[in-house]
């Protein structure tokens, strides 16, 4: 049971990952090590013992040669051979434990980084897409997390390499001071040759990661908007841009590969040079009678053992350089701060009026209010201010909205491009609550989404792909509306909730939405006469300010600009009315 708990510990999704050190890349890597000091120390000790025992083998072999073979002592030969076997078996066990320990350290660092990144992304909330690109976040999750974890795996063998290097140099000092000096000079030579390459690698690797993030963002845009690009004839333009970015990334990858190849070549070449130089010197000393045959064999064995540590040291430099670059990107994300929320005022005790001085919009509580404007960006900006997304002078019941502490609990902004996470349809629309079947049925009816459930093979329990890509555009919009209705906020601010629907479905939603939100404050942005006709109050915006207000039919008679705006949308509604069957076919095809 104890071993089982140890194996589960690195992947515990509920454990607190702690507060990361965000001063820099090196600081973050050190924080990961300090979060599991016992495992890090055990890895360093086991790696050191593992490499030192490898260096013990040449000594035992030299004793077997000098005392057993040269001296003709069979008992001594058996003794030293048995000792060599025991040390080899023990070192095999130490190697297994070292590998297990470093694997657990790597897994802990991997999942700990994932948890701190996800936790911070949730903390940033709506500010995340405004502060950092989606491609950057994907690159961190897919590549940088693994790179950081792998870099920590090399620290144990790296420490062991330094220890065995010093031990071998000390042993050689007792054999030949000249050989010990040659070996000791190897470390400064490695630092001089590899050090500049590590700095160069961090630079080119950082630029490569930046370009990779840009390309990943383009891939995401392509996956989400291929149908739109086809319709607009922009697929070839996007393909050309993607091709150029891919070529830049490839060229940068070549530069990374060039530096990496030099580091790996040094990792293999330097030990070989040492082996040749020290072996040549030892052979000359043996020929002059200053070394015995056994000592010559041991010197060759010591230098052969150093091939691994020297390669580990170079490899550690390579992986740490890449790990620092990846850690810097993680730290850059963790340094982002969410929008300030310094509200200390209490929210109104009951339903209250929302007022936006910038536009003159007044939202009367308990009514269905529609914002209509020629430019959707103007009405969307009003919604952002009413929902306190960004700087706002909006008041709520006479109190500044940005001073209210619990505004998010009572005001919900439902964007028509809001993210849809992968999972079952029931989980998708339920959000963090647990709505009853009756509540779900009412929300599905209000959003005219019953056909979506009927068309899926397992109904509400059917799996939906990330961003709802297994659904059609109209289905995704209705699913978002179902989710907003089930949240049942006191104030619902919906941006173009029916823009992707055919006229028949839109008319049904317009009628049912008013019934479902009766007595609750609801604001929608739209220029569709089907939706505007069911609004209790329509606010007509010109250049982002209220130009007229009233019922839809009254504004049609009194406001020429409003009449022209709605007439254009009415013509589009007539064209899409005949496309209701096409929408249904599209939905059915998406389900299949």
């Amino acid at each position: 049971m104890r071993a089982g708990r140890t194996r589960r510990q690195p992947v515990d999704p509920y454990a607190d990952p702690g507060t990361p050190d965000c001063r820099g890349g090196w600081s973050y890597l050190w924080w990961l090590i300090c979060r599991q000091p016992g495992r890090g120390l055990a890895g360093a000790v086991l790696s050191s013992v593992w490499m030192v025992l490898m260096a013990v083998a040449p000594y035992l072999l030299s004793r077997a040669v000098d005392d057993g073979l040269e001296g003709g002592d069979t008992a001594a030969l058996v003794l030293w051979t048995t000792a060599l076997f025991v040390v080899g078996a023990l070192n095999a066990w130490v190697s297994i434990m070292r590998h297990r320990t470093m694997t657990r350290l790597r897994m802990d660092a991997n999942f700990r980084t994932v948890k701190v990144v996800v936790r911070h992304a949730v903390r940033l909330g709506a500010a995340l897409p405004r502060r950092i690109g989606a491609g950057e976040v994907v690159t961190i999750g897919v590549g940088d997390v693994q790179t950081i974890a792998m870099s920590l795996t090399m620290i144990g063998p790296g420490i062991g390499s330094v220890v065995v290097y010093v031990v071998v140099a000390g042993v050689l000092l007792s054999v030949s001071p000249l050989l010990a000096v040659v070996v000791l000079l190897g470390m400064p030579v490695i630092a001089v040759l590899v050090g500049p390459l590590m700095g160069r690698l961090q630079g080119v690797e950082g630029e490569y990661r930046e370009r990779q993030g840009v390309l990943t963002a383009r891939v995401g845009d392509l996956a989400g908007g291929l149908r739109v690009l086809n319709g607009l004839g922009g697929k070839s333009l996007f393909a050309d841009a993607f091709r150029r970015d891919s070529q830049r990334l490839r060229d940068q990858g070549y530069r990374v590969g060039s530096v990496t190849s030099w580091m790996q070549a040094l990792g293999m070449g330097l030990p070989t040079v040492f082996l040749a130089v020290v072996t040549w010197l030892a052979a000359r000393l043996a020929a002059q009678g200053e070394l015995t045959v056994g000592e010559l064999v041991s010197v060759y064995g010591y230098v052969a053992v150093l091939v691994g540590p020297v390669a580990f040291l170079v490899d550690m430099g390579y992986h740490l350089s890449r790990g620092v670059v990846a850690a810097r990107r993680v730290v850059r994300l963790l340094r982002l701060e969410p929008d300030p929320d310094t509200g200390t005022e209490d929210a109104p005790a009951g339903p209250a009026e929302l007022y936006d001085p910038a536009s003159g919009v007044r939202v009367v509580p308990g009514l269905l209010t529609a914002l209509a404007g020629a430019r959707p960006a103007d009405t969307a900006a009003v919604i952002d201010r009413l929902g306190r997304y960004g700087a706002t002078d909006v008041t709520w019941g006479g109190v500044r909205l940005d001073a209210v502490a619990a505004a998010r609990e009572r005001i919900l902004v439902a964007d028509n491009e809001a993210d849809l996470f992968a999972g079952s349809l029931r989980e998708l629309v339920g959000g963090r609550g647990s709505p009853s079947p009756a509540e779900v049925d009412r929300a599905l009816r209000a959003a005219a989404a019953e056909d979506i459930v009927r068309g899926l093979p397992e109904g509400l329990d059917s799996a939906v792909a990330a961003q709802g890509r297994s659904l059609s555009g109209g289905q995704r919009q209705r699913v978002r509306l179902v989710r907003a209705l089930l949240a049942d906020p006191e104030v619902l601010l919906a941006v173009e909730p029916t823009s992707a629907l055919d006229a028949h479905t839109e008319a049904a939603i317009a009628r049912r939405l008013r019934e479902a939100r009766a007595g609750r404050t609801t604001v929608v942005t739209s220029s569709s006469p089907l939706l505007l006709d069911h609004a209790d109050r329509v606010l007509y915006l010109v250049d982002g300010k209220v130009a007229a207000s009233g019922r839809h039919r009254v504004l049609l008679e009194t406001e020429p600009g409003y009449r022209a705006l709605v007439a254009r949308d009415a013509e589009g509604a007539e064209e899409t009315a005949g496309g209701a069957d096409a929408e249904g076919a599209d939905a059915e095809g998406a389900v299949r």
Side-chain angles (χ1 to χ4, degrees):
M1 292 299 294
R2 184 174 303 170
R5 285 196 297 269
T6 302
R7 283 193 295 269
R8 289 193 296 269
Q9 183 181 355
V11 294
D12 183 1
Y14 304 106
D16 180 14
T19 303
D21 189 337
C22 297
R23 290 177 296 175
W26 288 108
S27 298
Y28 182 80
L29 293 180
W30 179 246
W31 172 77
L32 287 175
I33 296 174
C34 292
R35 291 301 296 178
Q36 39 182 339
R39 192 172 290 135
L41 179 62
V45 171
L46 289 171
S47 297
S48 301
V49 172
W50 172 55
M51 290 191 176
V52 169
L53 288 179
M54 285 195 297
V56 169
Y59 171 78
L60 297 176
L61 185 61
S62 68
R63 299 296 298 173
V65 171
D66 285 343
D67 297 346
L69 295 179
E70 289 288 331
D73 189 344
T74 304
L77 179 62
V78 172
L79 173 65
W80 294 115
T81 302
T82 302
L84 186 63
F85 174 79
V86 172
V87 168
L90 175 62
N91 208 21
W93 178 82
V94 172
S95 177
I96 293 173
M97 299 307 297
R98 173 198 64 85
H99 188 273
R100 287 184 177 181
T101 302
M102 300 312 298
T103 298
R104 290 171 181 170
L105 185 142
R106 180 180 70 248
M107 291 176 65
D108 184 281
N110 187 319
F111 289 102
R112 193 177 298 275
T113 300
V114 168
K115 285 189 285 187
V116 296
V117 168
V118 172
R119 182 180 65 182
H120 193 69
V122 174
R123 178 170 173 260
L124 289 172
L128 178 63
R130 298 196 300 269
R131 305 289 179 82
I132 189 172
E136 182 82 358
V137 178
V138 171
T139 303
I140 289 174
V142 173
D144 292 333
V145 171
Q146 294 287 343
T147 302
I148 290 172
M150 184 57 68
S151 69
L152 297 186
T153 307
M154 302 303 300
I155 292 178
I159 295 175
S161 299
V162 175
V163 171
V164 74
Y165 202 91
V166 174
V167 169
V168 169
V171 172
L172 286 177
L173 187 62
S174 63
V175 175
S176 170
L178 176 62
L179 295 179
V181 170
V182 172
V183 171
L184 287 174
L185 286 176
M187 193 68 73
V189 171
I190 293 174
V192 170
L193 294 177
V194 177
L197 289 176
M198 289 177 60
R200 173 64 177 163
L201 179 62
Q202 291 183 27
V204 295
E205 180 79 14
E207 186 176 349
Y208 177 81
R209 291 293 187 182
E210 295 291 338
R211 294 188 182 278
Q212 189 179 36
V214 172
L215 192 64
T216 303
R218 287 197 181 276
V219 172
D221 293 340
L222 176 63
L226 185 58
R227 184 180 303 175
V228 177
L229 288 171
N230 279 328
L232 298 176
K235 186 170 68 172
S236 60
L237 295 176
F238 192 96
D240 292 339
F242 184 81
R243 187 178 299 109
R244 289 193 298 270
D245 288 339
S246 298
Q247 291 172 348
R248 294 191 189 101
L249 182 64
R250 180 197 60 195
D251 294 340
Q252 187 65 24
Y254 287 156
R255 285 190 282 272
V256 173
S258 175
V259 179
T260 300
S261 65
W262 276 105
M263 292 192 69
Q264 292 179 343
L266 289 175
M268 296 300 296
L270 287 177
T272 304
V273 172
F274 280 124
L275 180 63
V277 172
V278 176
T279 301
W280 180 78
L281 288 175
R284 291 195 42 98
L285 292 174
Q288 295 170 3
E290 298 182 20
L291 294 180
T292 65
V293 175
E295 289 175 333
L296 176 62
V297 172
S298 67
V299 168
Y300 183 86
Y302 293 144
V303 178
V305 167
L306 288 181
V307 172
V310 172
F312 267 125
L313 287 172
V314 176
D315 207 28
M316 182 178 67
Y318 165 70
H319 283 287
L320 282 179
S321 297
R322 300 187 68 221
V324 169
V325 172
R328 287 171 182 166
R329 291 165 58 85
V330 171
V331 166
R332 185 167 58 186
L333 170 63
L334 297 179
R335 284 177 177 173
L336 299 178
E337 291 295 330
D339 294 332
D341 186 2
T342 57
T344 57
E345 299 289 337
D346 293 332
E353 179 185 75
L354 280 169
Y355 172 59
D356 177 29
S359 63
V361 169
R362 290 184 182 274
V363 179
V364 180
L367 299 182
L368 172 59
T369 303
L371 306 181
R375 293 184 300 186
D378 291 340
T379 56
V382 174
I383 293 294
D384 282 346
R385 291 195 293 270
L386 293 175
R388 207 181 72 178
Y389 285 103
T392 179
D393 293 323
V394 170
T395 59
W396 188 20
V399 181
R400 283 184 61 93
L401 184 61
D402 56 9
V404 176
R408 287 282 181 267
E409 298 176 5
R410 296 169 60 181
I411 300 176
L412 172 65
V413 176
D415 194 287
N416 63 344
E417 295 296 332
D419 289 326
L420 297 174
F421 298 103
S424 70
L425 182 59
R426 188 186 305 278
E427 296 171 338
L428 191 59
V429 300
R432 62 182 179 182
S434 300
S436 66
E439 291 173 331
V440 174
D441 290 341
R442 284 195 296 270
L444 288 171
R445 182 182 181 281
E450 304 100 318
D451 63 303
I452 300 177
V453 178
R454 290 194 298 267
L456 292 171
E458 298 180 31
L460 285 170
D461 294 320
S462 298
V464 177
Q467 300 301 335
R469 293 194 177 98
S470 56
L471 305 174
S472 69
Q475 288 177 323
R476 288 196 294 269
Q477 193 164 51
R478 285 181 285 165
V479 167
R480 292 186 179 101
L481 183 56
V482 172
R483 182 171 62 181
L485 292 174
L486 282 174
D488 194 27
E490 178 183 323
V491 180
L492 174 61
L493 309 174
V495 180
E496 300 288 348
T498 60
S499 59
L501 305 179
D502 59 82
H504 175 75
T505 306
E506 187 177 25
I509 291 178
R511 183 176 63 255
R512 298 173 185 177
L513 179 62
R514 184 176 181 180
E515 298 173 358
R517 294 285 299 173
R520 310 284 272 174
T521 305
T522 306
V523 180
V524 298
T525 67
S526 179
S527 58
S528 168
L530 298 172
L531 187 56
L532 295 172
D533 191 39
H534 286 83
D536 296 309
R537 187 164 174 259
V538 178
L539 302 180
Y540 172 49
L541 275 64
V542 176
D543 295 330
K545 297 184 179 298
V546 175
S549 63
R551 295 298 295 264
H552 167 66
R553 296 180 186 274
V554 174
L555 291 178
L556 283 177
E557 297 175 358
T558 60
E559 288 293 328
Y562 178 80
R563 184 167 56 249
L565 170 66
V566 175
R568 288 197 301 270
D569 200 88
E571 292 174 0
E574 291 176 0
E575 294 175 0
T576 57
D581 293 339
E583 163 69 20
D586 183 25
E588 183 180 355
V591 169
R592 290 177 181 173

